[in-house]
Amino acid sequence: MEYQFIRDPISGLRIKISSEHAVIGRWLNEEIGKDKIAMVQALIASVASSFEPLTLQGQEIDLILNKDEAIFEAHALHQDSEDLIAYQDDELMLEENGLSSGCGFEDFVDLINSWQEFTTGR
């Protein structure tokens, strides 16, 4: 997983990440930022000593974390077909590409630790 942290004078601290991991970038930029890193690190510690996956529900994206992988799923991925019927007349469809992604547990831990170092200016 390739990524780059940037300091944007308009939007602040951001991550730029490959398109197949775009939902991970959205999650980090919009759901976590620099204020919720400690919470994610506590979740990592809990998963490391647990056999069950843990879920961190976000406003738009959920993180499902276990000892092997981190899975990110946008809430839009789980829309009822009834919700989508409203768009049927407009011939719009739910594009599932970019609504879920994943990475290995170690890669996720490295990402969070690197993000924490970047956001604290170390």
Side-chain angles (χ1 to χ4, degrees):
M1 177 170 58
E2 293 185 27
Y3 54 86
Q4 176 184 7
F5 300 128
I6 54 176
R7 294 182 191 281
D8 186 327
I10 296 172
S11 59
L13 306 176
R14 311 285 295 163
I15 183 173
K16 186 176 178 183
I17 197 163
S18 60
S19 61
E20 66 263 15
H21 294 107
V23 73
I24 298 173
R26 278 187 44 219
W27 175 81
L28 196 57
N29 288 329
E30 298 168 14
E31 302 271 351
I32 301 305
K34 62 181 181 180
D35 300 327
K36 297 181 182 177
I37 297 170
M39 179 179 60
V40 174
Q41 289 173 323
L43 183 69
I44 290 169
S46 295
V47 165
S49 62
S50 173
F51 293 103
E52 297 295 319
L54 296 176
T55 301
L56 178 61
Q57 292 186 337
Q59 293 201 6
E60 292 186 28
I61 300 168
D62 293 341
L63 164 65
I64 304 158
L65 188 62
N66 64 43
K67 288 183 180 182
D68 297 321
E69 65 184 343
I71 301 169
F72 300 82
E73 293 182 341
H75 293 179
L77 187 63
H78 304 288
Q79 294 290 322
D80 284 339
S81 59
E82 291 176 17
D83 293 339
L84 298 176
I85 289 175
Y87 299 105
Q88 193 173 23
D89 293 339
D90 297 330
E91 296 182 18
L92 298 175
M93 296 178 60
L94 177 64
E95 177 64 47
E96 292 186 10
N97 188 24
L99 296 179
S100 71
S101 186
C103 65
F105 181 77
E106 292 83 14
D107 288 339
F108 176 69
V109 172
D110 289 342
L111 172 68
I112 294 301
N113 290 337
S114 297
W115 180 249
Q116 193 259 339
E117 288 176 16
F118 176 72
T119 58
T120 56
R122 292 187 218 158

